[in-house]
Amino acid sequence: MDEAMTEPVHTAPFAPFEWMLSARYLRARRKEGFISVIAGFSFLGIMLGVATLIIVMAVMNGFRKELLDKILGLNGHILVQPLESPLTDWKEVADRISQVQGIRLAAPVVDGQALASSPWNASGVLVRGIRSDDLNNLTSIAKNIKQGSLEGFDDGQGVAIGRRLADQLSLHAGDSITLVAPKGAVTPMGTTPRIKPYKIVAVFEIGMSEYDLGFVFMPLAEAQAYFNRSNDVTSIEVFTTNPDRIDAFRKAVTEAAGRPVFLVDWRQRNSTFFNALQVERNVMFLILTMIVLVAALNIVSGLIMLVKDKGSDIAILRTMGASQGSIMRIFLITGASIGVVGTLVGFFVGLVICLNIESIRQFLSWLTSTELFSPELYFLSKLPAEIDVGETTAVVIMALTLSFLATLYPSWRAARLDPVEALRYE
């Protein structure tokens, strides 16, 4: 006998007739309309679940990234505070810290609370005294000046305020703002508040409502005089080249300070806020995963009904020589097709919405005449979205896995169907 006749025949994992029957079962006739409706809802559920997961994760990632950029763009990555004695040697300490490798800026600051007022309104603010060179090195401020300029900031007695504060007080660059500090001159009648008008030399807009409304920048020397600081500063704000590697800088900064200091990094200063964001993100992921799970369960119910309806077809196929594996693969393809197509459509829908999220928000705000993303509540002036490739891939793989697992039991039941029992009452 010829050797070619004895070689085993290698077939494809899925035979053409299996694909053909699966496609036929997905196009239900009128009497099978209810099964088709279940398949349609399963498709919509998986599509919406995947799209919603991708959109929510992207928005929360963008929200965290934008907030982190705004917070770290204005506040130091490490806050150096004095111990045992006031920070009167701030010039020398700041110079030594700035020479540490990886330190981008060491800015001495004087912080104090005050009441900012105009003839029309008033608001509580944080006044920060800072040197002109240091302020110009804060790109979040220097590159976002909307009115006036920072030229000659140290030479006069002018201040820079945020856009929202200017709007609230109905002021512009060139106008005067009155600052009221609770601790002023000491008199025989006690300590009196210090009230002093300042010219507004610049108006900035960072894009974070809390900062645009609550910060006033003042020349360092003027802030020392205004808050009764005897040639010392409140702290030194240290900016690094890599905030994520902050632990690597702590020891070097402590040694460079050359005096007793207490260090607080950005994670400690904002731990509650970012922990809350992380918890909310994880909870939202779990909740939205339930949408995909429910859609996958719809695939199970739809396939079980399809197997019952096609019992005689399965029996005829078995008597014609179709194996149990072929029957199982037919229903695997039928159920998995719903999940795969739903996942891919959901992925593209989520991608398109993420790339146009701000335009969609503005359109919906215009359509409903409401403010859907209030800067006062969410801190940011626009809706951000940052697509993470790893997270998006995980969502797609999870949806595909659930869709595949949902087809296993109905397909197994179809393969185990007894042809004799199925044809007995036909």
Side-chain angles (χ1 to χ4, degrees), residues 99-155:
Q99 293 173 9
V100 175
Q101 186 176 3
I103 300 300
R104 182 168 55 85
L105 176 66
V109 297
V110 171
D111 286 335
Q113 294 181 340
L115 178 70
S117 65
S118 71
W120 301 276
N121 212 337
S123 178
V125 295
L126 176 69
V127 179
R128 172 162 292 179
I130 188 170
R131 295 180 297 190
S132 178
D133 291 342
D134 295 335
L135 186 59
N136 281 305
N137 282 325
L138 295 181
T139 54
S140 60
I141 299 292
K143 291 186 177 180
N144 292 291
I145 300 298
K146 302 302 179 182
Q147 298 176 21
S149 72
L150 295 176
E151 292 183 10
F153 182 73
D154 273 347
D155 300 335

Side-chain angles (χ1 to χ4, degrees), residues 45 58 63 71 73 91 138 251 316 373:
F63 190 65
I71 291 172
K91 289 183 181 178
L138 295 181
K251 183 178 179 182
I316 292 170
F373 190 75

Side-chain angles (χ1 to χ4, degrees), residues 66-78:
E66 286 293 317
L67 281 177
L68 198 60
D69 289 344
K70 306 296 185 190
I71 291 172
L72 298 186
L74 187 61
N75 296 305
H77 306 161
I78 300 177

Side-chain angles (χ1 to χ4, degrees), residues 45-300:
I46 289 177
M47 182 198 75
L48 291 175
V50 171
T52 306
L53 260 175
I54 291 173
I55 294 166
V56 170
M57 291 295 104
V59 169
M60 298 200 74
N61 284 337
F63 190 65
R64 183 183 185 279
K65 181 179 181 297
E66 286 293 317
L67 281 177
L68 198 60
D69 289 344
K70 306 296 185 190
I71 291 172
L72 298 186
L74 187 61
N75 296 305
H77 306 161
I78 300 177
L79 183 67
V80 180
Q81 297 175 312
L83 285 177
E84 298 181 1
S85 62
L87 205 55
T88 54
D89 54 343
W90 51 269
K91 289 183 181 178
E92 295 79 8
V93 174
D95 289 341
R96 290 196 296 267
I97 292 175
S98 62
Q99 293 173 9
V100 175
Q101 186 176 3
I103 300 300
R104 182 168 55 85
L105 176 66
V109 297
V110 171
D111 286 335
Q113 294 181 340
L115 178 70
S117 65
S118 71
W120 301 276
N121 212 337
S123 178
V125 295
L126 176 69
V127 179
R128 172 162 292 179
I130 188 170
R131 295 180 297 190
S132 178
D133 291 342
D134 295 335
L135 186 59
N136 281 305
N137 282 325
L138 295 181
T139 54
S140 60
I141 299 292
K143 291 186 177 180
N144 292 291
I145 300 298
K146 302 302 179 182
Q147 298 176 21
S149 72
L150 295 176
E151 292 183 10
F153 182 73
D154 273 347
D155 300 335
Q157 292 186 342
V159 296
I161 68 173
R163 179 70 173 269
R164 288 188 173 274
L165 179 62
D167 291 343
Q168 182 169 320
L169 301 182
S170 301
L171 297 174
H172 302 85
D175 295 340
S176 290
I177 184 173
T178 302
L179 297 180
V180 182
K183 294 183 179 179
V186 179
T187 68
M189 302 297 293
T191 303
T192 60
R194 174 160 289 159
I195 305 173
K196 189 172 182 179
Y198 287 94
K199 182 182 177 182
I200 301 172
V201 297
V203 176
F204 61 85
E205 185 176 17
I206 300 175
M208 187 170 177
S209 60
E210 186 179 7
Y211 291 164
D212 290 336
L213 181 63
F215 265 83
V216 172
F217 288 95
M218 180 184 291
L220 182 62
E222 179 62 26
Q224 288 175 324
Y226 185 76
F227 289 109
N228 298 326
R229 313 289 303 199
S230 54
N231 199 34
D232 71 323
V233 297
T234 308
S235 58
I236 297 175
E237 299 273 0
V238 179
F239 295 82
T240 67
T241 54
N242 190 351
D244 292 327
R245 295 184 59 251
I246 202 68
D247 289 330
F249 296 105
R250 291 181 67 98
K251 183 178 179 182
V253 170
T254 303
E255 293 175 350
R259 55 157 293 154
V261 292
F262 178 69
L263 303 186
V264 182
D265 62 50
W266 67 269
R267 296 172 304 182
Q268 296 169 314
R269 297 167 76 179
N270 304 283
S271 59
T272 304
F273 185 71
F274 285 105
N275 286 341
L277 276 181
Q278 186 65 32
V279 170
E280 183 181 2
R281 183 169 166 277
N282 293 338
V283 171
M284 289 298 292
F285 183 85
L286 290 175
I287 292 173
L288 294 172
T289 301
M290 295 297 118
I291 299 177
V292 182
L293 185 59
V294 169
L297 293 177
N298 283 339
I299 294 177
V300 176

